[in-house]
Amino acid sequence: MSGRRALQSIVQTRHFAADFGRFHVKNLKFVRTPAPRPIPEEIPAFGTVATDHMLEVDFKGSAWQTPVIRPVEDVRLHPLAKVLHYCPTIFEGLKAFRGVDNEIRMFRTEANMARMVTSARRAALPDFCPLQLEHMIEDLVRKEQEWIPRGKGTSLYIRPFLMGTDPSLGVTRSTEAKLLVVCCPVGPYYASGWEPIKVYANPANIRAAPGGVGAFKMGCNYAPTIATGDEAAAHDCAQSLWLWGEKQWITEAGTSNLFLFWKNTNDELELITPPLSGGLILPGVTRDSILALVKEWGEFKVTERYPTMSEVKEAAAEGRILEFFGAGTAAVVAPCSQIVYVEKPNQEPVKIDIPEQANPLYRRLHETITGIQYGKIDRPEWIRVVN
Amino acid sequence: MSGRRALQSIVQTRHFAADFGRFHVKNLKFVRTPAPRPIPEEIPAFGTVATDHMLEVDFKGSAWQTPVIRPVEDVRLHPLAKVLHYCPTIFEGLKAFRGVDNEIRMFRTEANMARMVTSARRAALPDFCPLQLEHMIEDLVRKEQEWIPRGKGTSLYIRPFLMGTDPSLGVTRSTEAKLLVVCCPVGPYYASGWEPIKVYANPANIRAAPGGVGAFKMGCNYAPTIATGDEAAAHDCAQSLWLWGEKQWITEAGTSNLFLFWKNTNDELELITPPLSGGLILPGVTRDSILALVKEWGEFKVTERYPTMSEVKEAAAEGRILEFFGAGTAAVVAPCSQIVYVEKPNQEPVKIDIPEQANPLYRRLHETITGIQYGKIDRPEWIRVVN
């Protein structure tokens, strides 16, 4: 997905003003909380404290209802509500940043909105206008701006989600739905400097398969990874490294896209990341941003294909692996120090060490992307300032 | 899974009296609805009308809380509740029948309870005692017995489900959870006689894959099937026929297990159903019951393996297919009249007709299983009478 272009193509094929009922920022109502909560002085653990207000838009009787920004309170769902049984729910994760100039910036929101529309379609949830949702989220961020922390690497994490709510046990398209956007102040991912992680690669566990929904940000992709995450933790690993197929293609790590930076067998410096075709990986916004940057830099070869476990093992033995890192909204980049690889079932895993470089690419990428996000580097096409 | 035995093995390996806190029928409280609703005279559409009461057991602070049967009302969930984002939710579907003697019978409940425990573990939800849940469900059925319809093929559909509710966006094990059991009066699946269905086989869509969670009754398996169900409907088919892999193994149909009754290439009469090993199919209670019955009858060969699409196509052309039917709690058996098969992408699907036999096996199975469920056939090891 190339952000704005994907969005344009979605918007241009639809007459959303007519189709989307009241789903328009001009209809947005505001109900202020009568009991504002104190903003915590210490930034809470990720995603555990919501701000005072949330955006809510209900879909009923084939139409979107009046959108409203209102106090955060419990969602009320009938016990037969579809989402509780069959999981038609999708989400996005994006951030608002308080810049070095105190301006509030949002990063490539339109790419998240475009992806959310494709997720909604795959989950048989109602279509909505991504541009109007973007405007409404900006309004929410504006109202919650006091909650955006002021420290290095901090931000306001924004979680839009959309779920099917009709009270019916049929495995059918949702006729009622609820779209919510909640916000949580979050701290830096690596609070005390870079801490490269270990990842656990067991080919007996999968995240996605061709013909499935791994390319969509549907909630149903995550539940199966909780127990396998515990398996990774039991091997002292922070994340699962997801493999696919007989050749053990490396696809993702935990909830991140993946990059391998190496000297290939032709002695070329090369950055590899799995391709979007094939339906095995999520089309990450950070992934797309990294690809855009490194192509502009033009300093090394950039290839979209699946690295295989045997390639990585061989390259590690030959000292050709330079870096191996995840990429996602939470951490921007997450360097990996070791792959704990279950090469043969029921045997001790093989440990593949990834060296630490002097001036690693991942840090340069992190500095560039966060520089754009916090207003130190100018890249207007990726930023919207929320005034 | 062999019902009672699977349950025994789970129960015997645990000291549940100590482990499960207040999760015991002796602690069950009852709050009667102050406003009983009229029982509908016409049986409503499947799973759209709940009875007056539901069972609720909360898990908090590492312990199950007091179970309660209380009026059905909206579930209140924090907007950050895990189930709304990452889908840790599991369910079961079972029925209570009003017998020809007016007694209320439940069919192999212990098999559903045992399966629910395995689902909970895979979904990283808290363990519970299956036997105590069975007792609590019996108590709920006893209290809601006036809601059990009296017509042929009618029943009370019982939907236990368990979901992770802690308000936290981390993709981690649920530390809070809610178990609910709701009941809905349901009518006969085939109200006006047998209506064989068409099924849509497109190898581009999958339900499950090895290494995934297709063998568990987790809600996350269902969301992806809603849009593909619409694709099936666009081809005039009632269900998807799920294939897997290069050989196009036939695994399930819609939300049912599958049986192929044919003359094999050795001219033997044979009933085939996919195996539980491999993780591609749900271990259905109806599937298990059918296997038990036909093995007792001993009239034809019974094989657990995957039929392939090419086998089925060839056998249909040679007139060797006798029957092809789904098996599940909803319909018991669901005969199929045609497979609409996308043999080649982007080409018109091939239509494989399944003939209708004079005295089909599926009807004999239906009569036997419903006979047991409604008290016409005695099989005490599969029945508990709820007094």
Side-chain angles (χ1 to χ4, degrees), chain B residues 70-348:
Chain B
R70 42 163 286 188
V72 168
E73 59 179 52
D74 283 354
V75 181
R76 299 177 71 120
L77 295 170
H78 193 279
L80 300 175
K82 225 177 233 18
V83 63
L84 303 181
H85 300 268
Y86 308 128
C87 305
T89 184
I90 62 165
F91 68 94
E92 279 297 326
L94 57 157
K95 287 178 170 178
F97 306 90
R98 188 179 294 281
V100 288
D101 52 3
N102 211 30
E103 297 261 40
I104 296 159
R105 284 179 178 76
M106 296 192 62
F107 181 75
R108 304 192 68 185
T109 312
E110 73 284 356
N112 293 93
M113 298 297 100
R115 185 171 68 181
M116 191 167 171
V117 170
T118 66
S119 299
R121 291 178 183 174
R122 184 63 185 84
L125 287 162
D127 252 357
F128 59 89
C129 174
L131 199 58
Q132 292 306 321
L133 181 56
E134 185 177 347
H135 291 330
M136 293 186 228
I137 289 176
E138 283 174 7
D139 199 62
L140 177 64
V141 168
R142 210 172 283 126
K143 291 191 163 59
E144 301 300 78
Q145 60 181 279
E146 285 313 307
W147 285 83
I148 308 177
R150 283 159 204 272
K152 189 171 183 231
T154 64
S155 59
L156 189 70
Y157 182 81
I158 301 161
R159 169 57 62 95
F161 59 114
L162 168 60
M163 55 190 164
T165 56
D166 38 323
S168 159
L169 294 181
V171 184
T172 51
R173 183 164 286 275
S174 300
T175 56
E176 294 176 20
K178 187 184 281 292
L179 191 157
L180 291 171
V181 183
V182 287
C183 304
C184 301
V186 294
Y189 201 82
Y190 296 105
S192 49
W194 291 100
E195 291 161 26
I197 60 169
K198 297 181 190 179
V199 293
Y200 175 71
N202 184 352
N205 302 329
I206 64 161
R207 188 195 82 94
V213 296
F216 301 91
K217 211 159 174 76
M218 291 168 68
C220 62
N221 287 324
Y222 295 79
T225 72
I226 301 175
T228 49
D230 286 354
E231 186 184 331
H235 287 86
D236 197 28
C237 290
Q239 298 284 1
S240 298
L241 185 67
W242 300 108
L243 309 180
W244 172 254
E246 278 181 28
K247 299 221 165 143
Q248 300 192 345
W249 290 344
I250 300 175
T251 62
E252 291 199 7
T255 57
S256 300
N257 291 126
L258 256 190
F259 287 84
L260 168 66
F261 191 43
W262 72 344
K263 277 214 169 133
N264 65 24
T265 47
N266 295 331
D267 208 33
E268 297 165 307
L269 210 54
E270 185 183 28
L271 184 69
I272 302 184
T273 197
L276 298 186
S277 60
L280 289 178
I281 70 161
L282 198 79
V285 177
T286 308
R287 173 191 178 279
D288 187 72
S289 306
I290 289 174
L291 285 176
L293 290 173
V294 294
K295 283 175 189 170
E296 285 171 19
W297 296 345
E299 297 170 17
F300 42 78
K301 193 173 174 184
V302 178
T303 307
E304 290 182 62
R305 71 166 178 89
Y306 302 104
T308 68
M309 274 310 300
S310 62
E311 268 184 322
V312 165
K313 194 183 164 195
E314 187 183 302
E318 293 170 3
R320 290 189 286 109
I321 296 206
L322 303 172
E323 302 176 41
F324 190 65
F325 56 92
T329 294
V332 185
V333 290
C336 170
S337 59
Q338 190 178 71
I339 303 172
V340 177
Y341 172 38
V342 182
E343 189 170 16
K344 290 175 187 143
N346 308 317
Q347 290 192 16
E348 267 301 291

Side-chain angles (χ1 to χ4, degrees), chain A residues 75-77 84 89 173 230, chain B residues 75-77 84 173 230:
Chain A
V75 181
R76 298 178 70 121
L77 295 170
L84 304 181
T89 184
R173 184 165 285 274
D230 286 355
Chain B
V75 181
R76 299 177 71 120
L77 295 170
L84 303 181
R173 183 164 286 275
D230 286 354

